[in-house]
Amino acid sequence: MKTTQTIFEEGTHKWTAIVRDPARPDYLIDTNEYLVQHAGQGLLLDPGGSDIFPAVFSALSAEFDPSRIVGIFASHQDPDVISSLSLWLEFNPQMKCHVSWLWSSFIPHFGGIGDTFQTLPDEGGTIALAGLQLQAVPAHYLHSSGNLNLYDRQAKILFSGDIGAALLPADRQGLFVEDFAAHIRFAEGFHRRWMGSNEAKRQWCERVSQLDIDMLCPQHGAIYQGDDVERFINWFDALQVGIMRA
Amino acid sequence: MTVEPVSEQMLAVDGDVSAPGEPATMSGAALDLLRIVRINEEIKRIVTVAFKINIMALNAIFLAKRAGNAALGFGVLSNELRVFSKDLRESMMSLTRQIHDLVVEVSAVLQDSRHDDIFARATREVPDNAELQAVLARRETRHGEAVERIASQRRSLRLAVDDAARLVELGGVLAKSAKIEAAYGAGFATSLSQVSGEFDGVVEEIRSSLDALRRSGFFGGEA
């Protein structure tokens, strides 16, 4: 079963990371799911693949009534991000899925009907959660061509999807980055290979540099906090991506 | 409470196990789908053979005309064999339609079974979540309905295969009668005997295919 850890809490406003499943088979990439709560409602960010639904559901249930999840935010279309959609919808058919318009006719192959999807334009947009305004931030081509991050201005948290992801070894399973230089080695190969555009990366770095961010939360690996957020943005800005020597 | 995946609760045929030649690890909907696919392949084979009978019967009619009065009976039987070929093809088309419906139904059960398993695991992890139990109960009801539909389709398919088998019995009688009539074919007797022998062989081939279908594990048999 996965574990949950509260990474931000202020009144009814809360961020919970759902992470690290020891029972996960080796052939599945490890994923982080995040639950944003506000005034009794929940938004689940990148709920994960169908195979890990029981682990996510059970960990989440220990923290929050899953029937109060009103929506899902999918950063992009990958199966490790959103293939559990039909299971969540079966649990609550009223749930909405917020996703880039680009994938609005692709993701329904995982589940859902037309009404399920609240599509977001390329420039991003606002997602309301019980009065809390969350901002979908463009991160296209990093790695998906229709890719969005989610920024919570009040919590100062940026959910960055695959940006910042690291494939960590078994002996480095901490939730937060503790030694940036040591950690980033596990992120480098991933970013070089998965991120497709230096131009898009440049734009993203400029865009998020203007945001006030305490925590940068990727879908894989550890969370960057404090000064490590800026370190990561600078490191990413300098990294050459989209190059593969076959 | 012990929650078993719906897919494991109801196998397609009571006590169903994989037969020789089938993957030992396969069961339930996956095994049914494999068996349906094999039945369909056999049906396609019969359709090809039925078409062959039609051509053979046409040639036999020409041969009987050339033989004249000595092969009047043979000509009548050749005509009947053409009708038999047409009826057989129609029968196989009807089986194909039933197979298509079954594939759709069984595929849906197969697709659902993975999710059934996932929900069962989730329910084991969170046993006191009433909504989750309700989802599982809904799935079980839906699965039960699908299993009933499949059972009904299975019975209909079996009846249709039995009807086809009776039709082939008639074809066998016609082929045997053609053999007898060939003996009265005077100067054409050798040619007519050869043609009627071929009819007999082809009908036997179809009979053998239909027997294999009736013995299919899909109908509770061992093949």
Side-chain angles (χ1 to χ4, degrees):
Chain A
M1 184 175 135
K2 283 188 166 235
T3 56
T4 57
Q5 195 163 327
T6 302
I7 57 172
F8 170 85
E9 188 165 13
E10 197 174 86
T12 63
H13 186 187
K14 191 172 176 181
W15 275 69
T16 306
I18 303 159
V19 293
R20 312 290 185 263
D21 180 8
R24 172 186 57 83
D26 288 344
Y27 54 80
L28 291 176
I29 189 168
D30 194 23
T31 54
N32 303 330
E33 292 73 36
Y34 299 91
L35 173 71
V36 186
Q37 296 174 46
H38 190 257
Q41 290 191 354
L43 180 74
L44 186 58
L45 316 186
D46 283 6
S50 54
D51 220 47
I52 62 156
F53 172 80
V56 175
F57 188 90
S58 58
L60 187 149
S61 298
E63 285 290 317
F64 186 71
D65 177 355
S67 62
R68 307 193 76 168
I69 297 174
V70 294
I72 282 171
F73 172 79
S75 61
H76 59 291
Q77 84 293 1
D78 276 352
D80 66 317
V81 168
I82 191 64
S83 68
S84 62
L85 178 63
S86 62
L87 298 161
W88 289 101
L89 287 172
E90 197 154 343
F91 181 74
N92 177 8
Q94 306 307 318
M95 229 177 249
K96 299 295 177 198
C97 178
H98 304 270
V99 66
S100 159
W101 69 272
L102 199 65
W103 303 120
S104 60
S105 59
F106 290 70
I107 291 181
H109 282 282
F110 288 137
I113 55 173
D115 284 350
T116 307
F117 298 93
Q118 307 271 306
T119 56
L120 291 154
D122 282 342
E123 60 271 27
T126 302
I127 298 169
L129 177 67
L132 176 70
Q133 302 295 308
L134 296 161
Q135 191 64 37
V137 178
H140 308 305
Y141 301 104
L142 302 171
H143 69 90
S144 166
S145 46
N147 202 60
L148 294 162
N149 294 168
L150 193 76
Y151 178 59
D152 181 341
R153 187 189 304 272
Q154 283 188 31
K156 298 181 183 174
I157 294 177
L158 178 72
F159 168 62
S160 58
D162 276 329
I163 303 171
L167 306 175
L168 300 174
D171 60 346
R172 283 182 177 269
Q173 294 294 309
L175 180 59
F176 291 96
V177 173
E178 287 166 8
D179 176 347
F180 183 84
H183 173 84
I184 210 68
R185 290 187 291 121
F186 302 108
E188 187 172 335
F190 182 89
H191 286 77
R192 280 194 195 281
R193 183 68 175 89
W194 260 266
M195 303 301 162
S197 163
N198 283 305
E199 175 60 24
K201 180 201 64 170
R202 178 97 272 277
Q203 285 179 19
W204 180 86
C205 290
E206 281 177 7
R207 188 176 297 120
V208 299
S209 295
Q210 290 161 22
L211 303 175
D212 187 5
I213 303 172
D214 279 350
M215 272 182 257
L216 188 145
C217 300
Q219 195 217 352
H220 310 281
I223 295 171
Y224 303 81
Q225 61 177 342
D227 292 342
D228 282 340
V229 173
E230 192 180 341
R231 279 192 195 102
F232 173 76
I233 295 168
N234 290 338
W235 170 85
F236 191 35
D237 194 31
L239 187 74
Q240 285 298 298
V241 300
I243 299 162
M244 188 190 72
R245 293 181 184 86
Chain B
M1 178 185 175
T2 306
V3 182
E4 293 299 331
V6 177
S7 55
E8 296 303 317
Q9 289 169 3
M10 286 183 257
L11 294 179
V13 174
D14 289 343
D16 197 14
V17 289
S18 55
E22 292 173 340
T25 52
M26 214 180 248
S27 65
L31 189 54
D32 263 355
L33 197 58
L34 176 68
R35 287 166 173 171
I36 293 165
V37 165
R38 286 183 178 169
I39 289 173
N40 199 37
E41 288 306 307
E42 203 64 51
I43 289 170
K44 277 151 73 178
R45 219 165 69 82
I46 295 172
V47 169
T48 307
V49 176
F51 184 72
K52 202 155 79 180
I53 293 181
N54 188 38
I55 302 292
M56 284 166 63
L58 196 62
N59 287 334
I61 290 165
F62 292 142
L63 186 62
K65 281 212 182 287
R66 280 205 297 276
N69 283 341
L72 278 179
F74 189 90
V76 170
L77 287 164
S78 297
N79 260 320
E80 287 303 310
L81 278 161
R82 276 199 83 194
V83 174
F84 161 70
S85 157
K86 181 173 166 287
D87 290 348
L88 187 62
R89 273 183 293 156
E90 279 171 7
S91 166
M92 292 301 118
M93 276 170 68
S94 160
L95 285 179
T96 302
R97 281 193 293 273
Q98 290 189 46
I99 289 283
H100 175 262
D101 292 345
L102 261 165
V103 166
V104 169
E105 197 71 59
V106 174
S107 301
V109 169
L110 190 61
Q111 186 188 30
D112 262 0
S113 65
R114 182 162 180 252
H115 283 179
D116 290 337
D117 182 50
I118 291 169
F119 270 115
R121 276 162 50 207
T123 309
R124 278 197 294 273
E125 297 274 358
V126 192
D128 52 353
N129 187 300
E131 286 101 330
L132 202 54
Q133 298 279 2
V135 169
L136 208 59
R138 276 200 304 275
R139 292 190 78 89
E140 278 183 26
T141 304
R142 217 165 53 214
H143 183 80
E145 288 164 359
V147 167
E148 271 180 29
R149 281 196 301 275
I150 290 170
S152 163
Q153 287 170 314
R154 186 197 311 274
R155 283 193 295 275
S156 299
L157 184 67
R158 176 60 203 243
L159 287 174
V161 170
D162 287 345
D163 282 347
R166 277 191 285 277
L167 184 64
V168 172
E169 287 305 317
L170 172 67
V173 170
L174 291 172
K176 296 248 178 319
S177 300
K179 257 181 163 175
I180 295 166
E181 284 297 322
Y184 298 107
F188 285 88
T190 309
S191 306
L192 293 175
S193 288
Q194 190 184 343
V195 171
S196 60
E198 285 170 8
F199 275 134
D200 201 29
V202 169
V203 172
E204 274 308 312
E205 201 179 324
I206 295 171
R207 196 200 314 270
S208 157
S209 286
L210 278 171
D211 282 348
L213 288 190
R214 293 162 101 180
R215 288 197 310 274
S216 164
F218 187 67
F219 301 120
E222 291 173 356

